[in-house]
Amino acid sequence: MKRLTFKMGLIALFLKVFILAACSDETETAVSEAAIDHYPNQTIELYVPASPGGQSDAGARVLARHIGKYLDSDFVIVNQDAAGGALAFENVYRASGDGYKLLYYHQALHTSYAVGQYDYSALEMKSIGTFAGINQVFVTRADAPWDSLEELVEEARERPYEILYGGQIGGTTHFMGEQLGQIAGVDIKVLDVGGESDRMTALLGNQIDFVSTGIGNALNYVNSGDFKALAVLSEERDELAPEIPTALEQGYDVQFPIVHTLYGPADLPDEIVQKWNEATKKLAKDEEYIEDLSTTFQTHILMNSEESHEFNKEELEKAESIAQELLKGD
């Protein structure tokens, strides 16, 4: 009996130490009121799940150049495109909630999750707000037989799986092509041809028939005479190219403008989020920032934490709906 009592005492002591250690860890990882009051007081890292030079990287760098006027801190961009951006996601998802590691990215977080490439949804993180947005455009070669999206869809209806669309599997470009096929009720063959520059090369090389790209890139190729634009994937025409009709105008409700959201870990304090939201309101009125952003063909999309959470909830539902139909056909 004494031996049993001794063992029970040891177990009780172990449990007590374990509980105290757990509480200690929670205290150590929680953000103190003093840290919140003095936020930010060190360099903030903005993780971008993409390589340098693309639209996400460009938008993040413009943000980093200007937000310091209203949120007194230095900013550094951390580009991590490994594993389809999952590494950058994980680094912020598992980071301390002190607000010094944040994630800057768009709806590819939702499309990647919808096809099982990410283990966690972006909605499991703290949405801080939205920033740069850019409209996407379906483009084809200048010598292609179609002068409108309607004409391309009609030919796709007559030739199932013969019209080739170039995208990046699991990414937003993939879902744009799939959404067109589902809404128009036609079978378009989607080929994985990689990122932006790879898609342009494949289209120029006659390896695919059409792609989606940002409005700025589309205009560059249209003005050079290499491509022609078929449709803007937004509710309204883009102010930068009012002559290009929307897919919606042509009878196909394909809307997929890219909107960049800033995320933090799930336990990011609301007080820090509020500091960002207050700074962002001022940033959105900054003419130098707006002009700098316009050089990347992007515009500021102002949504606070609650609004951006609801927006991304709807975008995730859209991605999951498209993925469900996509996977049903496999």
Side-chain angles (χ1 to χ4, degrees):
M1 182 65 70
K2 287 183 179 179
R3 183 177 297 178
L4 179 60
T5 302
F6 177 72
K7 287 184 177 179
M8 293 299 291
L10 284 178
I11 294 172
L13 178 61
F14 173 78
L15 289 174
K16 184 177 181 180
V17 171
F18 178 80
I19 292 170
L20 287 173
C23 291
S24 175
D25 288 344
E26 183 177 348
T27 302
E28 289 176 2
T29 57
V31 183
S32 69
E33 291 185 12
I36 293 173
D37 289 341
H38 293 92
Y39 179 87
N41 62 4
Q42 65 187 65
T43 299
I44 297 174
E45 297 178 338
L46 300 181
Y47 282 73
V48 180
S51 57
Q55 59 189 22
S56 297
D57 175 71
R61 292 182 186 278
V62 173
L63 171 62
R65 284 196 292 270
H66 293 273
I67 191 64
K69 304 172 192 175
Y70 312 104
L71 199 65
D72 190 16
S73 180
D74 293 325
F75 295 82
V76 61
I77 306 300
V78 182
N79 296 97
Q80 291 186 334
D81 61 348
L87 179 60
F89 184 96
E90 286 281 344
N91 279 332
V92 177
Y93 180 83
R94 300 187 182 282
S96 166
D98 58 10
Y100 293 103
K101 283 188 176 182
L102 304 174
L103 183 72
Y104 181 94
Y105 209 38
H106 53 66
Q107 291 100 315
L109 297 174
H110 308 320
T111 59
S112 294
Y113 176 74
V115 295
Q117 291 179 349
Y118 282 13
D119 293 331
Y120 311 102
S121 159
L123 296 185
E124 296 179 58
M125 301 178 76
K126 179 67 70 71
S127 177
I128 296 172
T130 56
F131 289 86
I134 184 168
N135 281 327
Q136 305 299 297
V137 185
F138 281 141
V139 295
T140 187
R141 289 184 309 282
D143 61 355
W146 321 290
D147 292 320
S148 68
L149 187 61
E150 292 176 280
E151 293 179 2
L152 183 149
V153 168
E154 286 306 312
E155 184 159 344
R157 186 166 285 114
E158 296 173 2
R159 299 167 50 206
Y161 295 112
E162 292 186 30
I163 304 298
L164 307 181
Y165 172 82
Q168 189 168 22
I169 298 302
T172 53
T173 53
H174 176 195
F175 276 60
M176 293 170 196
E178 292 291 350
Q179 188 181 38
L180 173 63
Q182 291 175 16
I183 288 175
V186 295
D187 295 313
I188 295 169
K189 188 170 184 178
V190 178
L191 298 181
D192 187 356
V193 292
E196 184 91 352
S197 61
D198 295 323
R199 294 195 301 275
M200 300 304 104
T201 300
L203 184 56
L204 287 168
N206 203 25
Q207 298 169 16
I208 51 178
D209 296 309
F210 76 115
V211 298
S212 58
T213 187
I215 185 72
N217 199 43
L219 289 176
N220 286 336
Y221 279 97
V222 168
N223 292 335
S224 69
D226 293 307
F227 293 169
K228 53 186 170 184
L230 299 176
V232 176
L233 311 187
S234 60
E235 185 176 4
E236 299 178 351
R237 296 192 182 199
D238 194 294
E239 293 181 358
L240 295 174
E243 71 281 2
I244 304 176
T246 66
L248 183 60
E249 287 178 64
Q250 300 177 66
Y252 310 105
D253 189 9
V254 181
Q255 298 185 43
F256 225 118
I258 293 299
V259 178
H260 292 88
T261 299
L262 190 66
Y263 297 93
D267 59 349
L268 183 69
D270 291 338
E271 295 90 340
I272 290 179
V273 173
Q274 184 60 32
K275 287 189 176 187
W276 268 96
N277 286 170
E278 290 173 359
T280 305
K281 287 180 186 177
K282 299 173 183 176
L283 180 70
K285 299 177 182 178
D286 187 325
E287 293 184 3
E288 290 183 355
Y289 163 71
I290 298 301
E291 177 62 27
D292 198 2
L293 193 58
S294 70
T295 64
T296 68
F297 297 94
Q298 301 184 64
T299 58
H300 187 87
I301 308 296
L302 181 60
M303 296 185 207
N304 62 24
S305 179
E306 294 78 12
E307 293 166 338
S308 60
H309 177 80
E310 288 303 313
F311 167 77
N312 282 292
K313 182 179 178 182
E314 294 174 0
E315 290 297 286
L316 176 57
E317 290 172 353
K318 178 172 73 176
E320 290 180 324
S321 176
I322 294 172
Q324 186 175 22
E325 289 298 315
L326 169 64
L327 297 175
K328 186 186 298 183
D330 289 344

